Amino acid sequence: MLVTSACLAIFIGLVHSYLGERYILTRLFKGELPKLLGSDWFTKRTLRFAWHLTTVAWWGFAAILFLLTNPSDDIQNQILVVIAVVFFVSGLFSSVFTKGKHISWVFFWLIAGLSFYTALLS
């Protein structure tokens, strides 16, 4: 059952990102958006990375669901590594999509680092 749930989470992430780009974001960006930092570029990039961040989070949940199908004695560390990867990728999205202007990447990478470090200590 958990494998099915994990597969569904991966599928819904793919559908969410694809359909969101195709039918929501592209149409939204044709309209008037707030001009942050002098133009609507930052607004569009922030909306785009935030939209796809949902998919990254869902894939992280899928990985955790998959790990829980056959939990080992090391399950806490495995989940911490998944969390670290999700927040590292989230930081990449934030830094790349906004060229570092949206400072969430700092916090995402701090969370990733602390989670990974904790996994290494255990």
Side-chain angles (χ1 to χ4, degrees), residues 51-73:
W51 184 273
H52 294 295
L53 215 55
T54 307
T55 295
V56 172
W58 289 342
W59 288 352
F61 280 121
I64 291 169
L65 286 167
F66 183 76
L67 288 172
L68 292 172
T69 62
N70 190 15
S72 68
D73 293 338

Side-chain angles (χ1 to χ4, degrees), residues 6-103:
C7 290
L8 288 171
I10 291 168
F11 175 75
I12 197 69
L14 286 169
V15 170
H16 179 264
S17 280
Y18 174 75
L19 294 179
E21 275 292 333
R22 181 155 184 172
Y23 295 108
I24 296 174
L25 294 175
T26 54
R27 292 176 183 177
L28 178 68
F29 295 161
K30 291 178 184 175
E32 184 74 23
L33 293 171
K35 291 179 176 34
L36 303 173
L37 303 177
S39 74
D40 65 356
W41 178 89
F42 180 74
T43 306
K44 289 177 181 177
R45 301 299 283 192
T46 299
L47 288 170
R48 180 162 275 132
F49 99 75
W51 184 273
H52 294 295
L53 215 55
T54 307
T55 295
V56 172
W58 289 342
W59 288 352
F61 280 121
I64 291 169
L65 286 167
F66 183 76
L67 288 172
L68 292 172
T69 62
N70 190 15
S72 68
D73 293 338
D74 203 27
I75 190 71
Q76 178 180 338
N77 288 347
Q78 292 173 340
I79 290 173
L80 283 169
V81 169
V82 169
I83 291 168
V85 169
V86 166
F87 279 98
F88 179 78
V89 171
S90 298
L92 278 178
F93 273 41
S94 173
S95 64
V96 169
F97 273 85
T98 69
K99 295 184 181 175
K101 292 181 181 180
H102 194 285
I103 64 164

